[in-house]
Amino acid sequence: MKFAWIDLRTVPDAQRDAVVDAAVHARLAGVVSDDPALLDTLPPTITRVLVADEPVESPHLVTVVVRDQDQLDRLPVDSAFVQVEDDRTLKLACAAAVRLGHAVVGFTDPTKIPLEIVIAAADGAAGKLVTVVADLEEAAIVLDVLEHGSDGVLMAPRDANDVFKLARLLEATTPPLELTTLVVEGIAHNGLGDRVCVDTASHFQEDEGILVGSFSSGFILCCSETHPLPYMPTRPFRVNAGALHSYVLGPDNRTNYLSELRSGSTVLAVNSEGRTRKLTVGRAKLESRPILTITAHSPEGVEVSLTVQDDWHVRVLGPGGKVRNVTELQRGDELLGYIATEQRHVGIPIGEFCKES
């Protein structure tokens, strides 16, 4: 989970109490200060981070400002602050991110390339990377850099409103979904219909797609065109998603009809393990094509239906990210899907009786 620390060092005295109260109320992860007496007043539910020029004995998380490799090598604590301003300090930040439990990194220049390098260097490391950001807009960018983002951000708010806005920004990250294995019951060829290709502004991974279904209670994971096809080039930004009436699952557990998607809409990319991320739609392309309907059921007996273009190159995903061509599906084949527990009204989950067939 992404997290945020609030930096009190530059917050005006008149705003400090309100900012601290907001951070505690919004359940942000930590508060940073160079004043141990101020940190002593905070509740134990929040991480108290003491920034110091030298290692000191403290009950708080001591984060030492590190300026060279020798200082990092001799560091007796597990947290450091590095200001990246050139190649030497960039290498120092990478080393800190790999080695320490917490590496707090600030960047002098506005480019995000140094941050990308630190994120790549720390990939797989057990510690947490915390990036200093100037404002909420930069925080949103930093949390998504390299599709991984910094583990946390450190921001000095102007007032309590900034704290609450930062908390809402963290909530906007998309949680994983618990996918289920669906068993195909049948395939029906339906003649001509209108289907939608969803072209996004991002590349899909090989085991990613979007969740689409005819019923709001269940969805099938439709494969992106990242895999080679005969007679045509790959289009790793596209999902040949389904008929225009279909629901597509988006962020915040909301759905849209495929027919409603426009340039600038958002959809939820989902991989075979249930990890999710928001994608921006570049365009939605509707065309008349022969269509077929896949009917499947979950282990609990929930019926799932999906109508797609009737062509071999349209594909869905099975367990383990296995690619299945829709025209070759047979009764008993397994697909990945998602079962929703709520019915929908204008795409919003609602606890009401509704039967779809």
Side-chain angles (χ1 to χ4, degrees):
M1 294 292 292
K2 304 293 185 181
F3 64 91
W5 290 351
I6 292 300
D7 192 346
L8 296 180
R9 291 176 296 171
T10 59
V11 174
D13 292 344
Q15 297 290 337
R16 185 172 296 159
D17 287 346
V19 165
V20 170
D21 289 345
V24 173
H25 182 76
R27 298 183 180 180
L28 292 189
V31 169
V32 175
S33 177
D34 53 11
D35 181 359
L38 189 156
L39 295 175
D40 290 340
T41 66
L42 300 179
T45 54
I46 198 163
T47 300
R48 293 163 285 184
V49 184
L50 177 63
V51 177
D53 288 327
E54 298 291 340
V56 294
E57 291 289 334
S58 174
H60 311 309
L61 177 63
V62 178
T63 301
V64 177
V65 178
V66 173
R67 297 177 176 85
D68 58 53
Q69 186 65 46
D70 182 63
Q71 189 181 9
L72 178 63
D73 292 340
R74 293 184 290 106
L75 197 65
V77 296
D78 199 29
S79 181
F81 181 96
V82 180
Q83 182 68 30
V84 174
E85 53 192 26
D86 53 23
D87 185 62
R88 180 187 64 82
T89 49
L90 175 59
K91 291 177 181 177
L92 183 64
C94 291
V98 169
R99 182 182 307 181
L100 300 177
H102 289 90
V104 184
V105 183
F107 297 90
T108 300
D109 297 317
T111 174
K112 294 297 179 284
I113 291 176
L115 173 59
E116 293 176 1
I117 293 171
V118 177
I119 290 173
D123 187 40
K128 300 297 184 183
L129 174 64
V130 183
T131 302
V132 179
V133 297
D135 50 34
L136 293 163
E137 183 178 3
E138 187 177 12
I141 295 170
V142 162
L143 291 169
D144 281 335
V145 167
L146 283 187
E147 300 180 12
H148 179 285
S150 179
D151 298 301
V153 293
L154 172 60
M155 189 183 85
R158 296 167 300 178
D159 52 32
N161 287 332
D162 274 357
V163 177
F164 290 118
K165 289 177 182 178
L166 181 58
R168 288 195 291 271
L169 178 64
L170 293 171
E171 292 171 356
T173 57
T174 58
L177 296 175
E178 185 175 349
L179 300 183
T180 190
T181 298
L182 305 172
V183 177
V184 174
E185 292 181 347
I187 302 292
H189 301 271
N190 306 122
L192 199 64
D194 293 338
R195 68 96 173 100
V196 178
C197 284
V198 180
D199 293 347
T200 71
S202 301
H203 281 73
F204 285 93
Q205 301 299 315
E206 290 187 351
D207 68 338
E208 274 187 322
I210 60 178
L211 287 163
V212 186
S214 292
F215 306 151
S216 62
S217 55
F219 306 82
I220 291 174
L221 188 54
C222 294
C223 183
S224 60
E225 295 186 8
T226 55
H227 302 269
L229 290 163
Y231 313 115
M232 61 187 300
T234 59
R235 293 183 172 90
F237 52 83
R238 171 174 294 175
V239 178
N240 192 324
L244 80 168
H245 73 279
S246 308
Y247 291 108
V248 57
L249 190 64
D252 303 318
N253 198 23
R254 298 282 296 267
T255 59
N256 286 100
Y257 295 120
L258 286 177
S259 63
E260 295 175 333
L261 295 183
R262 299 287 187 273
S263 179
S265 300
T266 56
V267 293
L268 202 63
V270 184
N271 77 356
S272 60
E273 296 179 351
R275 291 195 296 271
T276 67
R277 59 191 178 105
K278 290 190 291 187
L279 296 184
T280 299
V281 175
R283 74 176 151 262
K285 190 159 71 86
L286 186 148
E287 296 165 311
S288 294
R289 295 289 188 271
I291 57 174
L292 64 80
T293 297
I294 305 164
T295 305
H297 66 271
S298 73
E300 302 80 21
V302 177
E303 182 180 354
V304 179
S305 177
L306 173 65
T307 298
V308 296
Q309 181 179 345
D310 189 347
D311 195 281
W312 179 83
H313 77 274
V314 179
R315 294 172 293 189
V316 290
L317 288 170
K322 183 177 181 180
V323 178
R324 311 299 301 260
N325 302 314
V326 296
T327 54
E328 296 181 349
L329 291 175
Q330 298 180 10
R331 183 181 177 88
D333 286 343
E334 294 184 338
L335 305 178
L336 280 176
Y338 175 69
I339 302 303
T341 57
E342 311 93 345
Q343 300 300 328
R344 305 274 168 172
H345 179 65
V346 293
I348 303 172
I350 186 170
E352 68 173 1
F353 174 77
C354 177
K355 183 176 180 180
E356 298 171 298
S357 61

